[in-house]
């Protein structure tokens, strides 16, 4: 950590504290809503309230992101989130079931609206707090520790629930987001605000320009599509994991817990491995192909321990692709458009996950679980092999479609 700037360390602390508080809060949201309603339908509505406004804003917010001071907006978002986590407590204070549910719904809506802006701006800020040579390692460190927090937070939350009333966790989440606000406040203002006259015509022209820019950079589009195939597979596994471990393999609940924990543990190991390996297209595409192969291997697995190893393998290999592809995107995208282009990139990736969920959930799909694993692994492997072979061909640096190589 010492090799990174103080600004990066502040961003890193702000993000990991935020991730822990968000995961803990999400667990309590589901538990509280189910306690109040006992309804699976309400659980679905709660996630739709988060997801639908989030995707809509993701698609139309890109013009705004080029005309804000990123450091200021990031810390203000955390302050708003900290306040939002007090809404369910206010609903519980009213003493009615309706008030509690309204508080939960408003919280989910606020979180859904803020998350795409926060993710896009933090991604765009990273090249400004790191050198170009540090970008791949910095992305790996940030991504790996965020996944570690998402792994640790459920266990810590479970231990807290043994000692504290459920609604107290909202207070803890609010405090963690406030700590994140304080950490992000230590980042000096690096970016500058572009003056813009916000009219409907300007917004529309800026949005078109952002998408046009995105599609005019072939490597940015290529890397985004490859990342989207991974997100598609991740979405499918959200549906498949429990039926595969407990149904197909006859595993116990604790065995499923280890299966779910193997990937984030492997991801941290992969993040450490990345620091020792050369940053090259070969390493990047090897990570993508190997990660896809970990899904294909599940087609052949007939014991739970081997399924654990497959998940661990995927966790180790995918960071080799994810961190390097993110670093290339951050380097190749024009700096004055990076926030806007990162929003478009994130939109592609976020849409891919629910498509994967839908694909794995289709009632008329005749493929069994093993075939689906083989299919989603192949979707990752085939383009990965193509681009690995293509990367071995001598060529000059990527540029825009209309530029000469």
């Amino acid at each position: 950590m010492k090799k990174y700037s103080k600004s990066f360390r502040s961003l890193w602390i702000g993000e990991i504290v935020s991730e822990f508080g968000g995961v803990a809060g999400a667990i309590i949201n589901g538990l509280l809503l189910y306690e109040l309603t006992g309804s699976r339908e309400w659980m679905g509505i709660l996630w739709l309230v988060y997801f639908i406004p989030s995707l809509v804003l993701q698609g139309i917010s890109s013009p705004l992101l080029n005309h804000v001071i990123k450091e200021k907006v990031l810390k203000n978002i955390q302050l708003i989130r900290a306040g939002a986590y007090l809404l369910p407590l206010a609903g519980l204070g009213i003493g009615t079931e309706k008030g509690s549910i309204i508080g939960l719904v408003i919280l989910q809506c606020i979180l859904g609206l803020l998350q795409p802006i926060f993710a896009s701006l933090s991604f765009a800020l990273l090249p400004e707090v790191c050198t170009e040579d540090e970008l791949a390692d910095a992305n790996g460190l940030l991504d790996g520790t965020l996944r570690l927090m998402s792994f640790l937070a459920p266990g810590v939350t479970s231990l807290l629930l043994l000692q504290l009333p459920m609604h107290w966790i909202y207070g803890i989440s609010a405090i963690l987001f406030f700590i994140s606000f304080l950490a992000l406040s230590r980042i000096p203002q690096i970016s500058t605000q572009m003056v813009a006259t916000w009219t409907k015509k300007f917004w529309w022209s800026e949005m078109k320009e952002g998408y046009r820019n995105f599609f005019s950079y072939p490597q940015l589009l290529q890397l985004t599509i490859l990342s989207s195939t991974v997100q598609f597979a991740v979405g499918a596994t959200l549906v498949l994991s429990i039926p595969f471990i407990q149904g197909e393999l006859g595993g116990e609940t604790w065995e499923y817990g280890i299966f779910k924990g193997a990937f984030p543990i492997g991801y941290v190991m992969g993040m450490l491995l990345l620091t020792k390996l050369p940053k090259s297209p070969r390493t990047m595409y090897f990570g993508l192909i190997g990660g896809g192969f970990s899904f294909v291997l599940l087609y052949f697995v007939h014991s739970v321990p081997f399924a654990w190893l497959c998940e661990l393998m995927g966790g180790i290999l995918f960071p080799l692709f994810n961190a390097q592809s993110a670093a290339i995107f951050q380097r190749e995208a024009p700096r004055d458009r990076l926030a806007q282009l990162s929003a478009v990139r994130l939109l592609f990736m976020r849409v891919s996950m629910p498509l994967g969920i839908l694909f794995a959930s289709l009632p008329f799909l005749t493929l069994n679980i093993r075939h689906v694993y083989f299919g989603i692994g192949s979707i990752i492997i085939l383009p990965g092999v193509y681009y690995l072979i293509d990367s071995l061909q001598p060529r000059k640096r990527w540029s825009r479609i209309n530029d000469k190589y």
Side-chain angles (χ1 to χ4, degrees):
M1 284 298 296
K2 290 183 179 180
K3 71 175 184 178
Y4 297 108
S5 66
K6 290 183 178 179
S7 294
F8 172 79
R9 292 200 295 269
S10 297
L11 179 65
W12 179 72
I13 292 170
E15 289 223 38
I16 63 173
V17 171
S18 169
E19 179 70 15
F20 193 100
V23 173
I27 292 171
I28 302 305
N29 284 348
L31 290 174
L32 179 59
L33 184 65
Y34 195 75
E35 182 180 281
L36 291 170
T37 66
S39 168
R40 187 179 64 184
E41 289 75 16
W42 263 108
M43 299 292 289
I45 290 171
L46 191 65
W47 281 109
L48 287 174
V49 166
Y50 174 92
F51 211 69
I52 293 176
S54 179
L55 283 178
V56 172
L57 185 61
Q58 183 81 60
I60 65 174
S61 65
S62 56
L64 168 70
L65 303 183
N66 281 335
H67 301 276
V68 298
I69 299 174
K70 292 187 279 292
E71 302 86 347
K72 182 178 180 180
V73 174
L74 285 175
K75 68 180 183 180
N76 287 343
I77 284 175
Q78 300 303 71
L79 195 59
I80 295 170
R81 282 169 158 173
Y85 270 101
L86 299 178
L87 291 174
L89 289 177
L92 288 169
I94 295 174
T96 65
E97 182 178 300
K98 185 177 180 180
S100 300
I101 293 174
I102 290 174
L104 280 172
V105 169
I106 295 175
L107 170 62
Q108 281 289 88
C109 187
I110 291 174
L111 296 178
L113 290 172
L114 294 179
Q115 175 57 27
I117 297 176
F118 184 88
S120 298
L121 290 179
S122 61
F123 182 85
L125 182 63
L126 200 59
E128 299 181 20
V129 297
C130 296
T131 65
E132 284 200 2
D133 293 338
E134 294 172 342
L135 273 177
D137 287 339
N139 276 292
L141 174 62
L142 191 57
D143 201 13
T145 47
L146 288 179
R147 289 177 185 270
L148 183 62
M149 290 301 104
S150 68
F151 170 71
L152 294 175
V156 175
T157 303
S158 299
L159 293 175
L160 289 173
L161 287 173
L162 295 175
Q163 304 295 329
L164 300 173
M166 186 191 304
H167 58 273
W168 281 32
I169 308 299
Y170 284 118
I172 293 174
S173 289
I175 291 171
L176 289 173
F177 276 102
F178 185 71
I179 292 172
S180 177
F181 161 78
L182 295 177
L184 295 174
S185 297
R186 300 184 61 187
I187 302 175
Q189 183 177 321
I190 304 168
S191 56
T192 57
Q193 185 176 15
M194 298 168 61
V195 178
T197 304
W198 289 106
T199 64
K200 183 178 180 180
K201 182 178 179 180
F202 178 79
W203 185 287
W204 179 243
S205 65
E206 276 289 288
M207 190 161 69
K208 287 193 298 182
E209 179 66 16
Y211 281 95
R212 189 188 69 80
N213 265 278
F214 180 82
F215 285 105
S216 68
Y217 285 87
Q219 192 177 29
L220 303 190
L221 178 61
Q222 169 195 314
L223 294 175
T224 299
I225 291 174
L226 292 176
S227 296
S228 297
T229 63
V230 176
Q231 293 303 308
F232 180 88
V234 170
T237 59
L238 293 176
V239 178
L240 300 175
S241 296
I242 294 177
F244 182 67
I245 295 297
Q246 296 189 310
E248 190 79 16
L249 301 182
E252 302 292 336
T253 302
W254 65 271
E255 291 176 311
Y256 168 72
I258 295 177
F259 180 78
K260 291 297 290 182
F263 187 88
I265 292 298
Y267 210 96
V268 174
M269 295 168 63
M271 175 196 74
L272 297 175
L273 177 64
L274 179 64
T275 63
K276 308 299 182 182
L277 294 176
K279 311 300 185 294
S280 68
R282 294 183 186 183
T283 306
M284 181 174 71
Y285 290 121
F286 174 78
L288 179 68
I289 295 166
F293 191 61
S294 70
F295 288 118
V296 171
L297 285 177
L298 290 172
Y299 174 85
F300 302 98
V301 163
H302 291 280
S303 69
V304 174
F306 279 110
W308 296 342
L309 290 176
C310 290
E311 281 293 281
L312 186 68
M313 171 185 168
I316 292 172
L317 292 173
F318 272 127
L320 306 184
F321 170 75
N322 290 343
Q324 291 190 83
S325 65
I328 291 172
F329 194 103
Q330 290 160 334
R331 284 195 296 263
E332 296 297 320
R335 191 59 58 88
D336 63 331
R337 289 277 177 183
L338 180 55
Q340 186 176 27
L341 296 180
S342 69
V344 180
R345 171 183 180 268
L346 188 59
L347 176 63
F348 273 80
M349 294 170 62
R350 296 188 75 206
V351 168
S352 299
M353 184 175 288
L355 289 177
I357 294 172
L358 180 63
F359 173 75
S361 306
L362 291 175
F364 55 82
L365 192 67
T366 58
L367 300 176
N368 62 33
I369 292 175
R370 293 181 183 275
H371 288 136
V372 176
Y373 271 125
F374 190 92
I376 60 178
S378 300
I379 289 172
I380 297 172
I381 291 173
L382 294 177
V385 170
Y386 172 80
Y387 285 117
L388 173 62
I389 296 172
D390 186 60
S391 70
L392 299 178
Q393 306 300 318
R395 64 173 60 203
K396 295 181 180 179
R397 189 174 180 269
W398 281 88
S399 61
R400 294 183 64 162
I401 286 176
N402 294 325
D403 294 340
K404 293 182 178 179
Y405 284 82

